[in-house]
Amino acid sequence: MLHVYQGMKLKNFRRLIFQAISVTDSVSRSYEILWVRMEHPIMLGFIALPLLFPTSLAVAISDPVHENKQGLSSAHRHVEALILGGGVAGVIAARTFHEEGIDDFLIVEARNELGGRLKSATFGGKTIELGANWIQGTQTGNGPENPILTLAKKHNLRTQYNDLFGSLTTYDNNGAVNYLDVVDTSIDAFVNHTIYSGTRLTQNLVDLSSRSAYDLIGVKPRDIHAKAAEYFNVDFEYAQKPDQNSAIAGSWNNNFTYDIDQGGFSEENLLSIDQRGFKAFIQEEANTFLKPRQLRLKSTVKSISWSDSGVRVVLKDGTTISANYALCTFSLGVLQNDDVLFIPKLPDYKLEAIASMTMATYTKIFLKFPKKFWFDTEMALYADPERGHYPVWQSLDHKHFLPGSGLIFVTVTGDYSKRIEALPDSQVKAEVLNVLQSMFPNITVPPPLDFYFPRWTSDPLYRGSYSNWPPSFVQQHHVNLRSNVDRLYFAGEATSMKYYGFLHGAYFEGLDVAQSIIKCITHQSCREREKQRRAYRMSEAVVIRPKGS
């Protein structure tokens, strides 16, 4: 069911799982216009939504496929540009340096491969995606093409259109119940919520939570079906509840990706089913230009010393790497959890911005059964008396995906993801099987052959799935989150205003910030001091000072 607003189709709800990792958008003309609008003194709360997949923190020297043994014994190395994290933002930044003739760079990655939150695993004899899973927004006619789609096509990634809302079966705790009309009503409510929130933006009104926006347009889900439908529209997209999401930022975040009138790509969501893993597109792209000496894998950063003359990084194995410039693409969650020591500590305005944003968690729970016994649609929605209790199901054993695989997964988000991470696998599996038994009361649900889910929040390389803008996160905070400190720069999905939470956000941020660093290296111009001064100024603008200070 498609809905049209101001001449554009609002997404039939495209979903990006773990919009994995480090992202940043390019500063286009439309972005500049939005930026000015948001700096209006009344506009204090703007937020944006998930994505995809932050990069992991890390370091190591290896080639894109095989670890390079050369240089690992070296206690120190100096490079022109150091890239911390080998996710989408980090790899695209490295490619940008290479294209401009700057090859004295090093990518440092904690894992044993590139990809960041593009993380796959072998499960039930198939490759599954634990993190980012979709290309969200593709291309309409001759309009702009999502750069992730461009890379996917270049490297022959196998994808399939995912009809999230159009191929759906509904259930509750009594079994199969058709409440698709409630789902349609909920989609309409989200559209109206988007219109209302967009109106607040154009009128320079302060931001609200999605819950408040819903209340003000008279939408108050009462029963379990309406609450499950709301979850499918909100939580499944943003990995947090309506009261934890920005109404205004949620509106523009979707439009910039899906609304062609706003420069978006299309409404389509393409699910990666490539058995090399979704990560293949960025790994294969890295293989087109990276040399062994430009990549260091399986190395974790312990500390980062920064100044106006350069950056020095110490790894946990004691190795030191210095650079004239460095780009940090660690996830917001890693920055929030003090997993890396900054020397000196980051400025207060920067710490405030980091603390004010939210790192959300999006968890897929996979099961392998001897044979399929469930719904024939691509998706299913389960309504439970407890909101968010194993609600969104997707069949991989489907003619369009991995037929005959016996694979199915269920998604939980936000606080519920954190809850299950604290439980033993056996308890989570028992709860999931109880839900399946409620959905299919006329059969005996067999024990699964295999069961698995990742723990993103407790993983020190990620500390969550992707960023989310809470209602209290003001635009000045985002300026400061994105700003550099002397010669240490930051990029990732969290630093993208237009595309936070999306893989293409990480792409654009890696590209844009690398270009800024290149201007400093080549002495064309250097925005580092200008940006730093602006960051302080924006921070000070929201500080109430006592008289006489």
Side-chain angles (χ1 to χ4, degrees), residues 18-37:
F18 280 11
Q19 294 147 333
I21 341 115
S22 290
V23 287
T24 307
D25 44 268
S26 59
V27 185
S28 64
R29 188 165 300 177
S30 61
Y31 181 94
E32 300 279 5
I33 292 171
L34 173 64
W35 190 286
V36 172
R37 175 181 293 165

mmCIF file of all heavy atoms in Angstrom, residues 18-37:
data_model
loop_
_atom_site.group_PDB
_atom_site.id
_atom_site.type_symbol
_atom_site.label_atom_id
_atom_site.label_comp_id
_atom_site.label_asym_id
_atom_site.label_seq_id
_atom_site.Cartn_x
_atom_site.Cartn_y
_atom_site.Cartn_z
ATOM 1 N N PHE A 18 20.642 -2.702 11.024
ATOM 2 C CA PHE A 18 21.947 -2.296 11.407
ATOM 3 C C PHE A 18 22.622 -1.484 10.410
ATOM 4 O O PHE A 18 23.734 -1.684 10.113
ATOM 5 C CB PHE A 18 22.850 -3.458 11.577
ATOM 6 C CG PHE A 18 22.583 -4.035 12.845
ATOM 7 C CD1 PHE A 18 21.486 -3.627 13.522
ATOM 8 C CD2 PHE A 18 23.411 -4.958 13.378
ATOM 9 C CE1 PHE A 18 21.220 -4.151 14.714
ATOM 10 C CE2 PHE A 18 23.136 -5.482 14.569
ATOM 11 C CZ PHE A 18 22.045 -5.096 15.246
ATOM 12 N N GLN A 19 21.971 -0.742 10.027
ATOM 13 C CA GLN A 19 22.493 0.192 9.109
ATOM 14 C C GLN A 19 23.855 0.420 9.631
ATOM 15 O O GLN A 19 24.051 1.260 10.385
ATOM 16 C CB GLN A 19 21.592 1.338 9.102
ATOM 17 C CG GLN A 19 20.345 0.755 8.535
ATOM 18 C CD GLN A 19 19.069 1.266 8.981
ATOM 19 O OE1 GLN A 19 18.923 1.699 9.906
ATOM 20 N NE2 GLN A 19 18.114 1.199 8.276
ATOM 21 N N ALA A 20 24.555 -0.410 9.292
ATOM 22 C CA ALA A 20 25.829 -0.616 9.831
ATOM 23 C C ALA A 20 26.697 0.569 9.801
ATOM 24 O O ALA A 20 26.465 1.422 9.256
ATOM 25 C CB ALA A 20 26.601 -1.546 9.054
ATOM 26 N N ILE A 21 27.116 1.041 10.235
ATOM 27 C CA ILE A 21 28.114 1.755 10.551
ATOM 28 C C ILE A 21 28.777 2.957 10.252
ATOM 29 O O ILE A 21 28.433 3.605 10.232
ATOM 30 C CB ILE A 21 28.766 1.128 10.153
ATOM 31 C CG1 ILE A 21 27.195 1.413 10.759
ATOM 32 C CG2 ILE A 21 28.958 0.898 10.159
ATOM 33 C CD1 ILE A 21 26.102 1.413 10.282
ATOM 34 N N SER A 22 29.657 3.409 10.103
ATOM 35 C CA SER A 22 30.175 4.725 10.101
ATOM 36 C C SER A 22 29.672 5.448 8.886
ATOM 37 O O SER A 22 29.931 5.019 7.815
ATOM 38 C CB SER A 22 31.651 4.699 10.040
ATOM 39 O OG SER A 22 32.179 4.241 11.219
ATOM 40 N N VAL A 23 29.001 6.584 9.027
ATOM 41 C CA VAL A 23 28.515 7.273 7.865
ATOM 42 C C VAL A 23 28.595 8.774 7.978
ATOM 43 O O VAL A 23 28.665 9.316 9.019
ATOM 44 C CB VAL A 23 27.077 6.932 7.587
ATOM 45 C CG1 VAL A 23 26.949 5.559 7.058
ATOM 46 C CG2 VAL A 23 26.299 7.113 8.812
ATOM 47 N N THR A 24 28.485 9.429 6.845
ATOM 48 C CA THR A 24 28.527 10.868 6.799
ATOM 49 C C THR A 24 27.963 11.360 5.492
ATOM 50 O O THR A 24 28.213 10.765 4.487
ATOM 51 C CB THR A 24 29.963 11.346 6.895
ATOM 52 O OG1 THR A 24 30.519 10.751 8.025
ATOM 53 C CG2 THR A 24 30.045 12.802 6.988
ATOM 54 N N ASP A 25 27.176 12.423 5.491
ATOM 55 C CA ASP A 25 26.658 12.844 4.201
ATOM 56 C C ASP A 25 27.448 13.972 3.592
ATOM 57 O O ASP A 25 28.121 14.710 4.250
ATOM 58 C CB ASP A 25 25.200 13.288 4.276
ATOM 59 C CG ASP A 25 24.931 14.156 5.446
ATOM 60 O OD1 ASP A 25 24.572 13.613 6.450
ATOM 61 O OD2 ASP A 25 25.037 15.362 5.380
ATOM 62 N N SER A 26 27.335 14.096 2.273
ATOM 63 C CA SER A 26 28.014 15.176 1.576
ATOM 64 C C SER A 26 27.268 16.471 1.835
ATOM 65 O O SER A 26 26.069 16.470 2.045
ATOM 66 C CB SER A 26 28.033 14.893 0.079
ATOM 67 O OG SER A 26 26.722 14.765 -0.397
ATOM 68 N N VAL A 27 27.985 17.568 1.806
ATOM 69 C CA VAL A 27 27.346 18.848 2.067
ATOM 70 C C VAL A 27 26.860 19.414 0.743
ATOM 71 O O VAL A 27 27.520 20.206 0.092
ATOM 72 C CB VAL A 27 28.317 19.821 2.751
ATOM 73 C CG1 VAL A 27 27.607 21.099 3.131
ATOM 74 C CG2 VAL A 27 28.898 19.164 3.983
ATOM 75 N N SER A 28 25.708 18.963 0.349
ATOM 76 C CA SER A 28 25.135 19.412 -0.913
ATOM 77 C C SER A 28 24.418 20.732 -0.689
ATOM 78 O O SER A 28 24.246 21.196 0.425
ATOM 79 C CB SER A 28 24.138 18.380 -1.427
ATOM 80 O OG SER A 28 23.067 18.278 -0.533
ATOM 81 N N ARG A 29 23.949 21.327 -1.774
ATOM 82 C CA ARG A 29 23.262 22.607 -1.653
ATOM 83 C C ARG A 29 22.000 22.458 -0.828
ATOM 84 O O ARG A 29 21.693 23.294 0.000
ATOM 85 C CB ARG A 29 22.941 23.162 -3.038
ATOM 86 C CG ARG A 29 22.403 24.573 -3.009
ATOM 87 C CD ARG A 29 22.459 25.197 -4.380
ATOM 88 N NE ARG A 29 23.826 25.238 -4.879
ATOM 89 C CZ ARG A 29 24.135 25.685 -6.096
ATOM 90 N NH1 ARG A 29 23.202 26.086 -6.917
ATOM 91 N NH2 ARG A 29 25.399 25.706 -6.478
ATOM 92 N N SER A 30 21.265 21.357 -1.038
ATOM 93 C CA SER A 30 20.039 21.156 -0.261
ATOM 94 C C SER A 30 20.365 20.990 1.215
ATOM 95 O O SER A 30 19.625 21.408 2.077
ATOM 96 C CB SER A 30 19.289 19.924 -0.778
ATOM 97 O OG SER A 30 20.079 18.769 -0.652
ATOM 98 N N TYR A 31 21.517 20.397 1.500
ATOM 99 C CA TYR A 31 21.945 20.230 2.883
ATOM 100 C C TYR A 31 22.220 21.587 3.515
ATOM 101 O O TYR A 31 21.868 21.859 4.643
ATOM 102 C CB TYR A 31 23.204 19.372 2.901
ATOM 103 C CG TYR A 31 23.759 19.086 4.261
ATOM 104 C CD1 TYR A 31 23.421 17.927 4.951
ATOM 105 C CD2 TYR A 31 24.643 19.991 4.862
ATOM 106 C CE1 TYR A 31 23.955 17.668 6.188
ATOM 107 C CE2 TYR A 31 25.175 19.729 6.107
ATOM 108 C CZ TYR A 31 24.838 18.573 6.757
ATOM 109 O OH TYR A 31 25.363 18.316 7.990
ATOM 110 N N GLU A 32 22.852 22.476 2.748
ATOM 111 C CA GLU A 32 23.142 23.806 3.269
ATOM 112 C C GLU A 32 21.862 24.542 3.616
ATOM 113 O O GLU A 32 21.767 25.235 4.605
ATOM 114 C CB GLU A 32 23.930 24.614 2.220
ATOM 115 C CG GLU A 32 25.266 23.992 1.835
ATOM 116 C CD GLU A 32 26.344 24.293 2.842
ATOM 117 O OE1 GLU A 32 26.012 24.896 3.865
ATOM 118 O OE2 GLU A 32 27.499 23.925 2.610
ATOM 119 N N ILE A 33 20.836 24.379 2.778
ATOM 120 C CA ILE A 33 19.562 25.042 3.025
ATOM 121 C C ILE A 33 18.953 24.533 4.322
ATOM 122 O O ILE A 33 18.499 25.285 5.162
ATOM 123 C CB ILE A 33 18.600 24.800 1.844
ATOM 124 C CG1 ILE A 33 19.121 25.530 0.606
ATOM 125 C CG2 ILE A 33 17.199 25.285 2.188
ATOM 126 C CD1 ILE A 33 18.369 25.175 -0.666
ATOM 127 N N LEU A 34 18.992 23.213 4.512
ATOM 128 C CA LEU A 34 18.453 22.624 5.727
ATOM 129 C C LEU A 34 19.242 23.116 6.936
ATOM 130 O O LEU A 34 18.695 23.449 7.960
ATOM 131 C CB LEU A 34 18.536 21.097 5.641
ATOM 132 C CG LEU A 34 18.150 20.339 6.920
ATOM 133 C CD1 LEU A 34 16.684 20.601 7.233
ATOM 134 C CD2 LEU A 34 18.415 18.854 6.756
ATOM 135 N N TRP A 35 20.548 23.187 6.768
ATOM 136 C CA TRP A 35 21.428 23.615 7.855
ATOM 137 C C TRP A 35 21.040 25.007 8.350
ATOM 138 O O TRP A 35 20.878 25.251 9.516
ATOM 139 C CB TRP A 35 22.852 23.631 7.324
ATOM 140 C CG TRP A 35 23.889 23.814 8.372
ATOM 141 C CD1 TRP A 35 24.198 24.948 9.047
ATOM 142 C CD2 TRP A 35 24.758 22.801 8.860
ATOM 143 N NE1 TRP A 35 25.224 24.719 9.911
ATOM 144 C CE2 TRP A 35 25.589 23.415 9.828
ATOM 145 C CE3 TRP A 35 24.943 21.461 8.587
ATOM 146 C CZ2 TRP A 35 26.564 22.716 10.499
ATOM 147 C CZ3 TRP A 35 25.925 20.777 9.265
ATOM 148 C CH2 TRP A 35 26.709 21.399 10.212
ATOM 149 N N VAL A 36 20.860 25.929 7.438
ATOM 150 C CA VAL A 36 20.492 27.289 7.819
ATOM 151 C C VAL A 36 19.158 27.297 8.528
ATOM 152 O O VAL A 36 18.978 27.924 9.553
ATOM 153 C CB VAL A 36 20.451 28.201 6.570
ATOM 154 C CG1 VAL A 36 19.875 29.551 6.929
ATOM 155 C CG2 VAL A 36 21.851 28.342 5.996
ATOM 156 N N ARG A 37 18.215 26.541 7.990
ATOM 157 C CA ARG A 37 16.894 26.501 8.589
ATOM 158 C C ARG A 37 16.978 25.986 10.011
ATOM 159 O O ARG A 37 16.316 26.470 10.905
ATOM 160 C CB ARG A 37 15.998 25.565 7.766
ATOM 161 C CG ARG A 37 14.617 25.358 8.379
ATOM 162 C CD ARG A 37 13.794 24.410 7.521
ATOM 163 N NE ARG A 37 13.495 25.001 6.251
ATOM 164 C CZ ARG A 37 13.040 24.324 5.199
ATOM 165 N NH1 ARG A 37 12.872 23.029 5.284
ATOM 166 N NH2 ARG A 37 12.764 24.924 4.072
#
